[in-house]
Amino acid sequence: MKAFGAYNNEISSITEFEKDLPMLRAHDLLIQVDAISVNPVDTKVRQGIQEGLDSPKILGYDGYGRVVKTGTETHLFNIGDLVYWAGDVTREGSNSEFQAVDERIVGNAPSKLSVEKAVAMPLTSLTAYELIFEKLAVSTEEVDAGKTILIINGAGGVGSIAIQLARKIAGLKVIATASSPDSIAWVKKMGADYVINHHEDLPKQLASLGLDSVDYILILNAVNQHIDAATRLIAPQGKIANIVEPGRPINLDRLAHKSASFSFEWMFTKAVSQTADIESQHRILDQISAWLDEGIIESTFTQNVGELTAKNLQKAHQIIEDGHSIGKLVLVNRKN
């Protein structure tokens, strides 16, 4: 099969090569990949390659395609089903003609969306859902409606979905951060009630909105920069969740007397650690599909970079690394 991978940490090392079809594990599906989306994790994994590899590392942590073969212990899908998924960072990714993926982290693809809009959603939707409904323990039944959430970096891939889930599913009052005119407009389009600037004093800006604290906080970028403000702003018994590795110790002392919590979210934990609740990701993706098809939430797809080629993958990685992209970048192998 045709595949695309990186030999080293340079963007220019992404190349096309031939590889045997992957062997299936018991819970695996073999999926013909029709489209992929590029996320910051793709660039981070590539940047983490310490030296030249003998065989390129296949990246790609969003995919859309059709099931062509099933493993010996599969039960959720049939051959021919259209599916979407975010994969497992410890296995070969979606930047290839075919990929083997554990069916328990695969969802039925939305039926009313284009390929581009569908493939943009898995990784960021799983992350946002787990952040809000698992780590923050917000109810999906609007039990927490009216409570406040601050989403730091609202215009990013995860932030764009988190705003929608918090506002449209949970009924929270959403304060999101953005800085440029384009990102501010995007965050408002996603449904944020208020927008503030993460480059400026967050407590002061919240005070101007009549808020001295918030019930929930998501830190989706620069945790070291924002942790001081977050621990000041979180309400007693509030919850903070974060997706960023600090790289150095962070001070959480202020949370103690507030009985407030701080938790990490890594979307790949369930797959990598084979946790008992791994199949929850299948159910989450199916729920996201239903919300998309019903028009309750919308895709964050913004740019089709072109056909899945080494050149276009290099282009997508460069756009991500330049740090100015809004929404999701997609590459398409074939239309369905």
Side-chain angles (χ1 to χ4, degrees), residues 35-57:
I36 63 102
S37 180
V38 180
N39 295 280
V41 66
D42 295 64
T43 65
K44 290 177 182 177
V45 172
R46 193 206 74 245
Q47 291 166 356
I49 301 174
Q50 296 301 313
E51 53 189 49
L53 302 175
D54 292 332
S55 178
K57 183 175 181 61

Side-chain angles (χ1 to χ4, degrees), residues 33-34 158 165 179 183 228 255 262 281 333:
V33 181
D34 292 343
V158 175
L165 296 182
S179 56
S183 62
D228 181 69
L255 302 186
F262 179 95
Q281 293 202 331
N333 268 344

Side-chain angles (χ1 to χ4, degrees), residues 236 253-260:
D253 287 355
R254 288 198 194 96
L255 302 186
H257 289 179
K258 294 183 179 183
S259 297

